[in-house]
Amino acid sequence: MMTTRLEHNAADTRFEIYIDDTLAGYADYAEAEDTKVRDFHHTMTFPEFRGRGVAAQVVEYALNESRDAGFTVIPTCWYVEKYIAEHREYADLVA
């Protein structure tokens, strides 16, 4: 059985997903100074983990954590934009 772990790596400004302790993908963001806005500009799933919903899991985690921390988001990354469009419960997060 595979284990999945999601983490907020604030030092590298990204949300990460690990499968069996191997980094499987991440969602990068930038935070504007003195604002509560995160610009998600890149989502990456490593080739050996594609087709397993890795990107969706890390983006969902990133959006939930951003909401809980009081942030709005700018979905510069096409995948984050698509995810929000398909999951309207996150539409209120868009800055």
Side-chain angles (χ1 to χ4, degrees), residues 4-91:
T4 301
R5 185 175 83 248
L6 292 150
E7 293 183 1
H8 181 194
N9 182 343
D12 289 336
T13 59
R14 68 186 194 182
F15 291 88
E16 300 170 336
I17 183 168
Y18 292 84
I19 296 176
D20 289 337
D21 293 322
T22 300
L23 182 63
Y26 56 84
D28 278 336
Y29 66 89
E31 278 180 24
E33 281 291 318
D34 302 322
T35 67
K36 296 288 272 183
V37 179
R38 286 182 178 152
D39 180 351
F40 284 91
H41 50 82
H42 183 67
T43 303
M44 171 69 180
T45 301
F46 294 105
E48 61 270 30
F49 296 102
R50 291 188 180 142
R52 300 192 211 175
V54 167
Q57 289 178 69
V58 76
V59 167
E60 179 183 40
Y61 175 74
L63 294 175
N64 285 330
E65 198 282 343
S66 295
R67 172 180 278 141
D68 292 346
F71 283 86
T72 56
V73 302
I74 299 170
T76 301
C77 169
W78 70 268
Y79 186 85
V80 176
E81 181 179 42
K82 178 177 177 266
Y83 187 90
I84 292 171
E86 293 174 356
H87 299 86
R88 300 307 296 163
E89 65 270 26
Y90 296 106

